[in-house]
Amino acid sequence: MTTREEEGVPAEVDADAQIGGLVKLGAGSFAYPPHEMPPRFLDDFLAGVALATTRLDFVSYHSYGDDPTQHLARIAGLDALLTFLGLTPERINAEWGRALDGLDPVYDTVEHGLFRAKVIGYMTIFGVTIAHEALVRDPGSGAGQLGLLTTGPPTHKPA
């Protein structure tokens, strides 16, 4: 009879099973660069997980775009890939927001509120359980800044 470690099961994972699976296993968060064509690293990673029947409790991704349908395309694509591979991890959008490609959005407008509502609605439809909206830049000083600290005129945040 082989031990769990000889079967390739790390001791940490085995220990987690003994305490009721309280630790969630996943991978780093994946971005969807618009210039990267399939198969992306995410595609290869998830295919490897499915092939090895490795435990995967969550998958985390990023989505940026100035049109809510860009976010819809990313989560729908992820959902289709997970379904195709027979994987059912929790979906986490660790970072989402506007790409600001030539846009200068005002964050306290009705338009921005509708943008956020649509993206949140899309994530809800596809079962995203955790999401974090991140602003790519400081929105500037003035009224309606959503409680954010700002550093001066609107500028792109450093990477």
Side-chain angles (χ1 to χ4, degrees):
M1 184 171 183
T2 61
T3 66
R4 300 272 291 156
E5 285 194 53
E6 289 172 340
E7 294 172 2
V9 178
E12 295 84 359
V13 173
D14 209 32
D16 177 50
Q18 294 173 16
I19 61 170
L22 298 175
V23 175
K24 294 192 182 266
L25 300 178
S29 195
F30 297 95
Y32 281 97
H35 60 277
E36 186 180 0
M37 299 302 293
R40 298 174 194 84
F41 178 77
L42 174 62
D43 303 330
D44 292 340
F45 172 81
L46 292 175
V49 166
L51 184 63
T53 61
T54 301
R55 177 176 158 196
L56 182 68
D57 296 319
F58 69 90
V59 64
S60 177
Y61 71 98
H62 295 194
S63 65
Y64 278 93
D66 294 317
D67 183 327
T69 59
Q70 292 169 312
H71 297 270
L72 173 61
R74 285 173 180 86
I75 185 60
L78 175 62
D79 185 70
L81 179 60
L82 292 170
T83 300
F84 174 75
L85 294 171
L87 299 173
T88 58
E90 179 180 9
R91 291 149 170 90
I92 297 173
N93 190 343
E95 188 175 302
W96 70 277
R98 297 187 108 147
L100 302 176
D101 294 332
L103 293 180
D104 190 17
V106 178
Y107 292 96
D108 61 347
T109 64
V110 169
E111 184 275 331
H112 182 65
L114 291 173
F115 167 85
R116 294 177 77 223
K118 285 180 182 178
V119 175
I120 291 168
Y122 293 145
M123 288 188 287
T124 301
I125 290 168
F126 285 98
V128 174
T129 56
I130 299 173
H132 174 255
E133 183 181 13
L135 298 179
V136 178
R137 65 175 202 173
D138 291 326
S141 59
Q145 297 306 316
L146 309 174
L148 299 171
L149 299 174
T150 60
T151 59
T155 57
H156 281 279
K157 292 184 177 180

